[in-house]
Structures are given as C-alpha cells and as structure tokens.
Amino acid sequence: MAQAAPIAMKEVLLLPSLGINQQYISFTNLTMESEKYICVREMGAATGGTNNVVIVDMATPMQPMRRPITADSALMNPDSKIIALKAAVPGQAADHLQVFNLDTKAKMGSHQMPDQVVFWKWISPTKIGIVSATSIYHWNVDGNSAPQKQFDRAANLNGSQVIKYMVSPDEKWCVLIGIAPGSPDRPQLVKGFMQLYSVEQKRSQALEAHAAAFASIKVGSNTQASTLISFAQKSMVNGQLVSKLHVIELGAPAAGQTPFTKKQAELFFPPEFADDFPVSMQISKKYGLVYVITKLGLLFVYDLETATAVYRSRISPDPIFLTSEAESVGGFYAINRRGQVLLATVNEQSMVPFVSQSLNNLDLALAMAKRGNLPGAEALVGQNFERLFALGNYKEAAVAAAESPMGALRTKATIDKLKGVQVQAGQTSPLLQYFGTLLTKGKLNPLESLELGRLVLSQNKKQLLENWMNEDKLECDEALGDLVKATGDSDLALKIYLKAQATQKVVTAFAERGQFEELVKYSGQVGHTPDYLYIMQSLLMSNPQAAAKLAVTIAQQPGPPVDVNTFTDLFLQRNMIREATSFLLEVLKPNLPEQAMLQTKVLEINLVTYPNVADAILANNMFTHYDRPRVAQLCEKAGLYMRALQHYTDLSDIKRVIINTHAIEPQALVEFFGTLSPDWALACLKEMLSVNVPQNLQLVVQIAKEYTEQIGSKGIIELLESFKSYEGLYFYLGSYLAFSEDPDVHFKYIEAATKTGQVKEVERVTRESNFYDPEKTKQFLMEAKLQDARPLINVCDRFDLIRDLALYLYNNNMLKYIEAYVQKVNPSKAPEIVGALLDVECDESFISNLILSIRSLLPVEPLVAEVEKRNRMSLLTTFLDHLVSEGSTDAHVHNALGKIIIDSNNNPEHFLTTNPHYDSEVVGKYCEKRDPTLACVAYKRGQCDDALISCTNKNSMFKLQARYVVERMDLDLWAKVLDPESEHRRQLIDQVVSTALPESKNPEQVSVSVKAFMTADLPNELIELLEKIVLQNSAFSGNPNLQNLLILTAIKADGTRVMDYINRLDHFDGPAVGEIAVGSELFEEAYFIYKKFDLHVPAIKVLLENIQSIERAHEYATKVEEKEVWSELAKSQLEAGSVKDAIASYIRADDETNRDAVIAEAKKGDSYEDLVKYLMMVRQKVKEASVDTELAYSYARIGQIGQLEEFIVSTPGVNLQSVGDRCFDEGIYEASKLIFTSLSNWGRLASTLVKLEQYQAAVEAARKANSSRTWKEVCFACVEKEEYRLAQLCGLSIIVNADDLEDVSEFYQGRGKYEELIALMEAGLGLERSHMGIFTELGILYAKYKLDKLMEHLKLFSNKINIPRLIRVCEEQMHWKALSFLYVQYDEYDNAATVMMNHSPEAWEHVSFKDVAVKVSNADLFYKAIAFYLEEHPLLLCDLLAVLSSRIDHARVVDVMRKRENLPLVKPYLLSVQQSNLVAVNEAVNDLLIEEHDFEGLRNSIETYDNFDQLQLATRIEKHEIMEFRRIATLIYKKSLRWRQSMQLSVDDKLYKDAMETAAQSGERELAEELLKTFIADGNKECFAACLYTCYDLIKPDVALELAWMNKMTDHVMPYMIQVMRDQSSKLDTLMAERQERIKSEEKTEDDSAKNQQSNMYAQMLPPALPSPMQYQQQQGGMYNGQQQGMYNGQYQQ
C-alpha cells in the first residue's frame, strides 16, 4: 500500500458556490487576514447595481454575510467581527480609512490619509499596517490616535507592487515585500524585493525576496527565544537562475545565549515551472515547518530549525494568489483563481514515517516527533534509548526517554531499567535525571509519580513531594496516598486522596480527623452517602453549634439523605430553640411552597418564646408560605400589632388591631396603609378618628397625605368633613394642594384656612393658585367679610373681576384698598376702576386724585375709552396736560388731547399740522364727520393713503386727491387710484392732466406719474400727457427719457405716429428705440433709425433678417464697404444655402470666425473645391488642428491623394485619426489605408484591409493591434469569406477573453459552422490563457453537435467547466447521463438522483446511484428510490437499503414494503437495522420468522429486541402448531407479568419445569400453591417435590405439610421441611444475639438521657427520638441460602 503524503490537502470551500462572481476572486478584491474570515468586494455590475462586501465566517462558511458597502478595499479583523474599509477621496489623491464593529454596529475609528494607500493589513488584533507610496504607518484602532509613521520605503521597492507587510511577534522587526515584472528578455520571471526594518535601530536593509515570514524558537538550552526570519528568493545570478530559502536570526542574542546558525536551502523548481515564483510563506508554530507556496500552486515544506527540505507537491492546478496561516491546526489556507479555499495540514500519522523512510533522515524525524508530539517515532526513540543505555550514556538515555514523543518510553520497564543502574558517589542518578526532565517539561503520570514518591520519601525529602503537588506536577492515585500515609503524614495523604478521587479513603480520613463538615461537603460532591443520623446524634451531645452547621450542610445537598423535619425534631426534643431556629432559617432560605409547615413552626416557637426574634424574621421577609392567620393571632397576643396587621386579611381584625396606635410605630403604620384597598383604608381611618380624634388626627392626616392617589382625595375630604375637622382639612389639603388641579380641592382649602384664621395662607393661595373657581371663591370671601381685603383683591385682580371688586370696596367704605390696589397692585386696571366709580357717581375729586396719583403708570388708551364712553372727557384735561408737560410722546395722550381741542374748536388745524405725536388715522377718523378738510389734513400728515382716498372720493375732493397722489410719488397708490374698477378714475385723470402735473416742477413726480400711467396700461392718456409735456415747449421738452417714452408709447399704441416723431425728435436713444421698433415689426422705421444714427451693422441685419432682402443688403454692403457688414451678409448667404456666394463674401470680409458653419454647409453642398479655397484663407489667419484636419479631408474627398500625402508629411498637427475614420465610414478606403498606415493604427487598418478584401494583411494588422474587437472583425470577415485557417488564427486570440467567447460562438453557430467552431475550441484548450469559458463552451458544443465526445470531455475537465450552464444545455438536449454526472460534480445530489430514476435506461448505474443516494438532502427521494428499485431492480434493493440505513425511516420502509407485499425481499436489511429496536422493524422481522417457522430466530429476536406488541404476538402464537412457538408465547406472557397465562400454557403442554420456574418468578404465593395442587391432582409426586424447592420462597411450610399429609406425600415433603427448620433456627439465633445487643444499647441511651433531661414545651407534640440505625448481617448456610434470605427477611419485617 502506498505511503500517505505527509501534507494533507482538502477543499474546504468553493467561493463561487456561495454566489460570489469569479471575476472578483482576485488579489485586489479578496482578503483573508486569518483563518476566521474571508472578505470579498463585489462591484455593482455583478450584484444588480449595488456594491457589496461578502464576509465568509469559516466557522459557518455556507452562511455568508452580505453588506451593501462601497469601498476600494475591505479587511476583516483576524480575531473578531471588526471590518476596516478604505475608499478614495473624490477629487484627491488620498484615501479615507474607517473601522466598524459589525456586532455593535458602531464606528471604532476613522482617518483620512494624506497620501494614497497602496497596501494595508492587520498586523495585530488592534493594529493596522498601512503602506503608502513613500512610507509605512501603524494605526492603533483602539484609541482615537492617528496613524503613526514607522519608516520610509526603500528605493528598491519603487515601481513594485506591494504584496505583503508583516511585523515580528515582539513588533521589533518589520518586513515589506513587493514584486515587479522581470527583465525585458524574460518579463514573466517576476522579481521580488524585500525591505527589512529594525524598530530599535531605526535602520532598513534592502534584499531580493518574494516571500518571508517571522518565527520564534528556542535554540538548544537557551532560556530566551530567538526571533528568526525566513525568506525565499528566485533571481538571476550571473545568468543562472538561483532559488533559495534562507533562515537567519534577527538581532544579536542576549549574553549567555547560543546564537542561531544561519541556514539556507535550494528551492527546486521543475522545468515546466521555470517561470514560477513564491507568492507566500507561512510558518507552523505547532510543528516548526516552513511552507513556501508559489503562484502556480507548488508547495515546498522545510524544517525551520535545519532548513531541511521535507516535501514538495503541486497543491493546485490554478494559480494561487493568497494564503493565510491556519494556526489552530498548524497548517495554512490557500485561495486560487478558481475560488477554491484549500486547507493544508500535517498528516500526523504519516509525517514521521515519511521523513524517516522516504527521506531517510532519522534525526529530523525524531526531532519533528518530539517537537510536534507526533506518532511514528516509537521504534526510533526506543532504538536511540537502547543505544545510549548500552553505551553507558545513562543521563542522555534518561533525557531521551523523558522526551519521547507521546510518552512512548514512559513505562515501568524504562523506570526499572534506570533503577537498576549503579550510580557512583557524587553522581546524579539516571532515574532522578529522568524525573527531573519530566518535571521540567510537564506532569508525571501515576506510575512515575508513585516511583518518584518512593524515591523522595526514602530520602526523607517529603517537602519536595509537597512542592510538586502544589505545582501540579504529579498525577496522584490511591497507592501514592497509602505510601505517604504510611509515613504518618495524614494531611499530605488526604491531599493526595482528594486529587486521586479515592472517595472511601477520603471519607475515612475525614472521619479519623473529626472533620465532619468537610466530610459532608466532600460526600455531596462525589455522591457518597455516609450515616448522617449517627453523626448528628453524636454532635448534638458534644457540640450543638457544629451539629446545626452539619445539619444545614446536609439539608442543602440536592436530594438530602435526611429529612429536614427529622433534624428539626432532633433539636426540639432537646429544647435547643436557638439551634433549631438557626438551622431552619438557613435551610428555609429558598422559600419554597413545600416548606410552609416548617416556616410556620419556626415562627410559632419564636413568637411564644422569643418574640423579638420572630419580629426580626418577619422583618427580613424571608418566608411567604407559612400559615398567615395563625401567625397573625400569635403576633397580636405577643403585642406585635404591626406584624399582626400585616398578616390579617379580615377588615374586622384589622380595625380591632389598628386602634392600638400608641403601640405601633407611626411610619410603619403609614406604610401599612399602602397595602390596603381604598375602601378598607377609609374604614380604618374612620375607625381611628372615631376612637380618639385629638390623638389620631395627625396620624390620619399623615396617612391621607401619603396615599391620596390610592384612597382618593374625595373620600378623605368627606371623612374629615364628616367630623367637622377643618384643622384636619387644612393640614391635609395643604400638602395635597400642590399636586391637585381640582377646583373644589382648592376652594375647600381656602375655606378651611379662612375658618381656621389662616388669613396669610388664604392670601397666598388666592395669589398663587390657578385652579380654584374664581366666582365661587369671590362670593365666599365677600360673604366672609374679612377685615383684610387682600385675598379678595387677589381673586378679582387675577380673574378680571375688577368691577365687582370696586363696587364691593366702595360699598363697604374700603376706599384705601381701592387706592392701594390701583397704586401698588395693578395700575393697569385703573381704567376699569374709574369706570365703575363713575357709574356709582363717586366724587369726581376722588377719581381725579386717584388718576393723578398714578399718572405715569396709568394706561391712557383704555382710560380715555372708559371716560369717552361716559362723555366725561373734560375730566382728563388736567391729567393730559400734566402728561404733556412731563414730555409724554404717547400717541394715546395726544390723541385724547386732540379730540378735546377739536371738540372745543380751539384752532384745531394748527394742532393737526404741528403736533408730531398723535395717531393721524385715529384723529382723522374722529374729524371726518366733523370737518372732512381737517380729516384730510390729519391723513396727509400721516400718509394714510386709503383713508384720504376714501375721504376725498366720498366728498368729491378730486383736485386735492390728484395733488396728493402726484406729491406722494407712490406707484402702489397710483395703482389703486388708476384701478379700472374705480368709478372715480376718470375724474382723477382729468385733474392730474389738467392741474396736478402742469403745476409740478419736480421731474421725479412727472417720472413716477408717467410710470403709473404706463403700468395702468393707459397709452392714449399717456401720449396725450407726454405730447403736452414734450412737444409744447415745457421745462421737460428736451428730456431724452420723455422723448424715448413718447416714441415707444406710439410704437405700442399708434404706429402711424412713429415716423413723424422720429423726424421731429433728435434726443432719443436711437439703438434702443430701433431695437424696440424691430421687436414691434416696424422694420422700415427701425432701418431708418439705424441709418439716421450710422449704425450700419444693425441696419443690414434689419435688411437681412427682418425685411429679408439680400439684394438690398448686398447693395448696402457695397455702398458702405465695411468688413463687419460683409460678414453679416456672408452669414445670411450661408443660411440661405448660397455657399459659393457666402464663401466669396467671407473671403471679402477676411472673416474666419464662422469657419465651423462654413465647413458644415460646404460638406452638405459637397462644395469641397470652394472649401479648399476658404480653408487656405483661414490657415493664413489661424493655426488650428481642426482646420488642417478639414483641409486634409477635403483633399481626400476631391481625390487628391498625392497632395494629401504631401500635406500629411508637412503638417504635423492634423487629426489624422478622425480623417481616417471619416474616410473609412464614407468608403474612401485607399485614403483611410494611407492615413491608418501613417498612424500605425493597426486596428482600423485591419478593418480597412478587410473592406479591401486583403485578408492576409488584415490578419497581420490585427496581430499588431492585438485588440479583441479587431480580432473579432477580421475573424468574422474571414468566416464569411470561408477563410477558415485565418479565421482560426484570429479566433484563438479572441476566445482567451471570456467576455468575447460567446460572441464568437454565436457567430459561428449562426452561420452553421459547427465543425470549424469545435476545431477552434479544441485548439483553444491548449492555450496558456485557457479559461473556464472555453471548456464550458466546448462542452456545450459537444452536447449539441458531438454527443460521443461529451462524457469524455466532462470527466477530463469537470473542475474547469461552468457546471450550471452546462446543466441547462444537457437538460435542453436531454442528455441524461451527462446531466446526472454534472449534478454529482456540482454537489446537487437530489437532482442527480431524480435524473437517474426518471431516465434510468440512460442515466442509471447501481454503484453511482448508491454513491449519490447517501448524499441527497431531501428525505422523500429515499422512498422514491426504494419504489424505483422495487419496480426496476428489486434484487439490488437490499444493497441500496444497506447504504441508506443511517438516513431513512425504517418504520416507513416497512410500511412501504408491507403495502407492496414485498417484505421478505428486504429481510437482510430488516435484520441489519433491528438493533435500533423499532416497533415496526421488530414486528416485521417477527412476522417473517413466524412465516418461516424459525422459532430459534424468533426467540432470539424477542429476547434481544423488546419493542413490539408483546400481547398481540403471544396471542397469535399461543395456539401455534409447533410447540416451540407456544413456549415463546409463555416467555412473552412471563415478560408481560401475565404469570397465570404463562404457567397455564406450560402446564397444558406438560412443560412442568417451565411452569415451576414461572410460578417462582411471579412471586405470587397463590400461583405456587395452585401449581402444587395441580401436581397433586395429577398424582405427579416428583414434580410436587421439585416445585417445593423451586418455589421455596413462596410456599408456606404449613400449606406444604398439610397438602402432603392429606395426599399421602409426606415422604416427598420431608426434605423441604428439614431445610425450613434449619433456616428458622439460624435466624432465631441471630435475632437473640441482636436483641441482647439492643437491650444494652437502650440501657446506655436511657442513662445518658436522664443526665441531660431538659424541659421541652414541645415534647408531647414530637415523636420520640430516632434510634441510631442498626445494620443486620445475616449469614445463613444451606443449599437454599440465596432463595431463603429474601423470603424470611420479608416475614420478619412483617
């Protein structure tokens, strides 16, 4: 048998199977930072338009996590679900880094790098290494710090692609690796560059290397580990290709440490891998191996310590681009381009044999076995040990044995051999050396521990043994404990017993030491049950506290061996109340319902004896299940009224107890009320007040305050009111008021405070409260007639009841409160007070003085309103004069003063025009009915436009209105008065035109008025107005703006006047007016204006664009002879299609600005000869590539190829590409060929040559172009022309691109060229760049056109084809065998099985179907397969069922086979699965065995497998014709405990032995006696005697003797009777001995009890103390010893 490889490879995952597009399985898009996670970035095109990041957890790889994340790079943290993302900053050469915790969905860090990040990697679980174009940074993501620069990149890495960055475990060394294309003569041999940086020395070293890794090992006997770096390089040295692996130590070793010797080894690449190079290196810490992985899938394995080559193999046919260490298994993960995730691990069973046998390197094999604890080196280790031992190197032999892999030599034989060595004085024993090595490396096994113990104890060095015990270096067992105990050290022996789990020894040791508590604890831990009652009774007499503690410990064990009641009774029998209480409190801590009786008991005994203790217990709320009514009564008797209240549940009981307020702590009572219902609480409060109001009122109020929400304020208030306790109401409501919004509550508080004389509180509440009823409160306070009116003032002031307040105070002669209120409380209410006082005819002097006392604080407007309503304005004259004299500018003051002056007609116009403070609108409105002119004066002064317009319209004062509107110069006002809906508009316009404007000398007024007329769309009125101003020699006749306006208005309203105005006016704006005239289609007028002002270009534009007369324009251009005019003319000629004339005009104008349009029109008109002339003129003025390009194209169009070639050579700036493209598009192929040749544009040249049908040259051009599009164009053209050889040459260059493969295939197939397409694809298989698409497409072609080659192709290249796509094709083409094969390869076993069954003639094959069937996931397919085999292959069904036995429902299979009546067909299967002991299987097997008359098989079946309907089977076979089946029926009845039926069947078949055994096993005396009687009836004396022995335990001696005597069988019963007498005498002797012993024990117990007798109030309630348990050991002899013991023990107990 071939030896297994030392490295095992397996595919753990196929990424495309997770839905990951293969194009994203690349170094750029995929990362794997550790063995935990794979992270893939998917771009939008493959994911339905969104960018995703796919995270594959290697613990659950089939459940990938997709997140919609857009990033340029994504890295998963090596330890946890933390992701780092990198994205480019838009518009900047910088990258933004972010770190997120996916579990908490929180951002951990963010930073924007100033430079672009070219590579980054997690270098630890908290730190990221970042590589930019110039520097390397480390970023600690735990804090908020920014990335810290570590060092600059070395020059040798410039221009290289960074593929690796790592740091050493101690972070003292860093290494950066990059790759770059090889030399020009061999670019495929990639170069590798490495930069090694020392953090401590801050120095770098540049090396050539492709891969590297750090490691840490201990050299020899060094105490400190050395840091190593291993790197692989492949480079050209002196023309030779050199590949090496180097292992060197980094830094200088510490003092006294042995340095590591530098190692190097060759990396041998086979010839076919000459251009391959290392892409990654991983080092196994577990095995000390170096893995070097190359791009093309080679794996090199080297020993790290010696750099010895161990193994080489190709692990992947596809290129590998990423690896990651698999630290947990000592291997590594590798990912290839196909998307396979491969796991490489060490084959532990074959590694050492491989090294020792295949490599013949025994030293390395031994070293690897020791280092990795690998099997396979046992023989080597043994030989080495024997060799060293034979040479006398005992020390080395001992060390070798101690360090043997997997403990191969750690045996008794080795120890005995080392013990036998004679040691000279002063030398260390080999055995001690052996043990010393083991103690240094780890832990000794039991055998070694025992031998070391003997050795140490023999030297009296027990302390060493204790030290090793504490360091857990020894594996203890019972023998070691016995050894130590024999020395007298019981403490150490106990420790050893405990570690060895020697239960009986530990219990014995604790008992010997008197450590009962430890004994209980330990026994509970290990499940051992000592005699606890005996221990308890002993402790109660000697140490009650310890007994209580022991009882607690025992009771707290799960399923305690002694009942808690028993312990309690033991304490109470000895009147140990405190101990019993302590015990019960500890035990009852769980507070379980089943402990209710004990809870009641502990409370009872303490309420009677120690009430304080009971109170403390209840206060702790430890118990909830005791008898509460009983405890409540005891609490009341003990004076614990509060506890009684807490336990009573009847209201009458609570009311009886609660009146004892003198003995109840008030706070507790308050808290108790919180537990009562509202009704009960009110009843109890009422009871307390009924008993003693003075004593309990304060407490009742306190309770009411505390529980207002629960009880309800309404009930409490009614209760206090029923006892007329206003004091109680006052105190209760005072606390409740702040939390209540009930108006009634607030009113009652005011009422209670008033009646208790708390006037200050009444004043405060009326001032602050917002919830009382103001009307009700006002009425109550008025009726109360308090001497202090402040509460009433508060109410009336706050709720605007001022009139009632004033009347109340006036009527009650409380004028001083009126003055105080107005002056100090609220002066703003003085107007209402004054009004009320005026209504009751109060003295005017009082009112006047009241007003004057608060002059500056009094609101004037409401005061004037109040007085004006009562026509008493003169009352305010003095007040207003005072205010004016004090400098008041309040409009209300001056309004009132103005009204008084107007009414008194005291020169009002002077006041209206000179006073700046009054409100014009208010005073004007006051004047309207009195004098409209005065109103207009007031309105004009205040610019009250609407009011003035309304007043003048109403009184027909239009002249005044016109003058006002003109003077106001307000366009909004003009809009109002010129509103077409206004009936007064015409009158106003007439006054404006005739009076207001002619009077005006202000140009601004004229301007605004004109704008207003224009805005109001009154052109005729405006013309009339302007003619009057402009044409009649007014002050504004020469105003340019007015002239412009006149002409423009005429243009808009009456065009016939325009020409006249143009002739008469000279100061208007000609260009602007001309433009407006053009816009109004007055073209001749516009032309005349432009001509008048010498504006030639606008004039010719009017001729060309508006009048549209090119002839007049040409005549005008000839007349003025200006270049701009010629340009305009040329432009119009060009637009009119006169290209030739336009070009001539452009040349005359010397204008090249419109060259693009000229070129375009010339192209349309095919006027390329004229265009050449024009372009020659243009080239003299501008040097632009576009002009040269058009000129070149024009040469091409007119066929001047020679001039074109000369022009191309002499003019470098021509855009020949566009010219060539245009020539090609228009079929000028010779010109395009010339141009593309000069450009070396091989792609377009190839297209041109195809058009010229020069196919060989086209192929050569396509080869130079090397463009997919070009290849396809040439290829398709060759196919069309049947140039298949050339087409294949092109096709091979196309199909290597997966995106173009489908186009080629569709083209060939669309033209029926199947054979040529297949030949092309077959040729493509051998290409270096062949890919999955080629293999897949060839498979599809075989499926469609060459079926005979399909299966061979699938078997050869199943790992290289797109299986899902080919599955669809085979399904369409109905190639079932190929389809089932593909389903198997794609791991879709359900579909494969379905295809095989549905299309069995073609697709089914038994072995293949079995392999598929065991892997299907749909259980229904199992039963479809069974049905399929029954119909088509019944003889192979058992074979199939054997394979599926672990996955199918056997009961369902049995049911299927029963229904089809094919159960015997699957008997082998049923027998094989019967071990599952299923009902259906057992019954099916039993039925088959019955049908086959196989009683032995049936007996074995029912004895082995009991899961079936036993009674049904017994009933079925009890009448079977074969006796053995009837015996089986008796056996079944016996198992079912149907003894009588079993025995009767045996008797009927005369199977008397069976009948006797059945009766004996039944244990029923009646059956045994019935069987005796049966034997007597049959006269069967021998069976009678045998039955007496067989049923010895069931038959009473008197019955046996009676039956024998009556039936004359005394001789046959006599042996039985002799044995009975012997057994009874033995038992009597034993009982007498025990009785004597018990009497002595009871006498001793009575003596002890008499000495310790104590009074116990519960002595009569408790059962007597339990006696100490006694164990009976009965030793009986005789031939029936085993049978008799149970029977007579039972009789004795009864």
Side-chain angles (χ1 to χ4, degrees), residues 724-901:
K724 298 187 182 301
S725 177
Y726 289 104
E727 183 180 359
L729 275 172
Y730 172 71
F731 287 112
Y732 165 66
L733 294 176
S735 64
Y736 177 58
L737 198 68
F739 308 101
S740 173
E741 297 181 1
D742 187 355
D744 195 45
V745 170
H746 286 254
F747 173 75
K748 287 184 181 296
Y749 181 70
I750 293 171
E751 182 183 28
T754 302
K755 292 188 177 183
T756 53
Q758 304 292 332
V759 179
K760 290 185 179 180
E761 186 64 14
V762 177
E763 190 276 332
R764 182 192 68 80
V765 175
T766 56
R767 184 178 70 252
E768 297 177 357
S769 174
N770 295 319
F771 305 109
Y772 58 82
D773 185 343
E775 188 64 36
K776 186 176 180 181
T777 306
K778 179 202 74 174
Q779 195 65 36
F780 168 74
L781 292 174
M782 286 181 176
E783 293 174 358
K785 293 187 180 295
L786 296 175
Q787 294 298 317
D788 189 347
R790 286 179 298 167
L792 180 61
I793 290 173
N794 290 339
V795 175
C796 295
D797 177 60
R798 294 183 59 202
F799 297 98
D800 203 21
L801 304 172
I802 305 303
R803 181 176 178 83
D804 294 341
L805 173 64
L807 295 176
Y808 173 81
L809 295 176
Y810 180 78
N811 292 332
N812 287 279
N813 199 24
M814 303 174 78
L815 298 180
K816 64 177 182 178
Y817 280 102
I818 294 178
E819 294 176 347
Y821 172 69
V822 172
Q823 294 170 0
K824 298 179 181 180
V825 178
N826 196 347
S828 64
K829 299 295 185 181
E832 297 182 49
I833 296 290
V834 169
L837 292 176
L838 287 174
D839 290 340
V840 295
E841 300 296 333
C842 180
D843 184 22
E844 287 191 4
S845 62
F846 175 78
I847 297 173
S848 180
N849 292 333
L850 186 65
I851 293 172
L852 291 174
S853 66
I854 53 171
R855 288 196 298 271
S856 59
L857 302 175
L858 189 61
V860 177
E861 184 182 10
L863 177 63
V864 171
E866 291 289 338
V867 176
E868 187 179 354
K869 281 193 294 185
R870 294 165 176 81
N871 294 321
R872 302 286 289 275
M873 288 289 290
S874 60
L875 182 65
L876 300 177
T877 303
T878 306
F879 166 66
L880 294 173
D881 289 339
H882 274 290
L883 292 178
V884 172
S885 65
E886 291 173 357
S888 173
T889 59
D890 186 1
H892 302 299
V893 173
H894 292 271
N895 289 346
L897 192 59
K899 291 178 181 179
I900 294 172
I901 292 172

Side-chain angles (χ1 to χ4, degrees), residues 274 520 553 823 1086 1149 1173:
V520 171
T553 305
Q823 294 170 0
K1173 299 176 184 178

Side-chain angles (χ1 to χ4, degrees), residues 329-527:
V329 295
F332 65 90
Y333 285 97
I335 303 177
N336 60 22
R337 294 288 187 190
R338 184 185 168 198
Q340 288 180 300
V341 181
L342 307 172
L343 174 61
T345 55
V346 171
N347 189 335
E348 294 191 346
Q349 300 298 324
S350 62
M351 174 57 84
V352 172
F354 177 84
V355 174
S356 62
Q357 298 172 16
S358 299
L359 302 183
N360 197 26
N361 193 335
L362 301 183
D363 293 337
L364 179 59
L366 190 57
M368 292 180 65
K370 291 179 180 179
R371 187 189 312 135
N373 198 25
L374 298 174
E378 293 81 0
L380 294 176
V381 173
Q383 293 171 8
N384 187 41
F385 174 77
E386 294 295 341
R387 179 178 60 81
L388 293 172
F389 200 87
L391 294 173
N393 296 333
Y394 302 123
K395 179 178 179 181
E396 290 81 357
V399 172
E403 295 179 348
S404 59
M406 305 186 72
L409 295 182
R410 294 173 63 177
T411 61
K412 190 173 187 308
T414 302
I415 294 173
D416 292 341
K417 200 162 189 175
L418 293 174
K419 283 167 67 176
V421 176
Q422 297 296 325
V423 183
Q424 298 180 4
Q427 292 185 348
T428 304
S429 165
L431 187 60
L432 284 178
Q433 185 70 38
Y434 171 78
F435 287 132
T437 304
L438 290 174
L439 291 170
T440 303
K441 289 186 142 319
K443 187 175 181 179
L444 275 62
N445 59 34
L447 174 64
E448 295 163 346
S449 301
L450 181 62
E451 291 296 335
L452 180 59
R454 285 199 182 102
L455 187 61
V456 170
L457 292 174
S458 66
Q459 298 176 3
N460 198 21
K461 295 180 180 179
K462 186 171 57 180
Q463 184 62 37
L464 292 175
L465 204 61
E466 292 186 19
N467 294 339
W468 292 330
M469 283 274 297
N470 295 333
E471 295 171 3
D472 197 26
K473 294 290 187 179
L474 305 179
E475 188 170 339
C476 302
D477 64 354
E478 194 172 324
L480 181 60
D482 294 341
L483 181 66
V484 173
K485 187 175 182 181
T487 65
D489 191 341
S490 59
D491 292 340
L492 184 57
L494 179 58
K495 288 182 181 179
I496 295 173
Y497 289 143
L498 286 169
K499 291 193 72 172
Q501 299 182 355
T503 304
Q504 193 57 46
K505 294 283 187 180
V506 174
V507 170
T508 303
F510 278 134
E512 291 174 353
R513 297 156 63 90
Q515 295 177 332
F516 296 110
E517 295 181 11
E518 287 77 4
L519 186 150
V520 171
K521 185 184 298 185
Y522 175 77
S523 298
Q525 291 173 349
V526 301

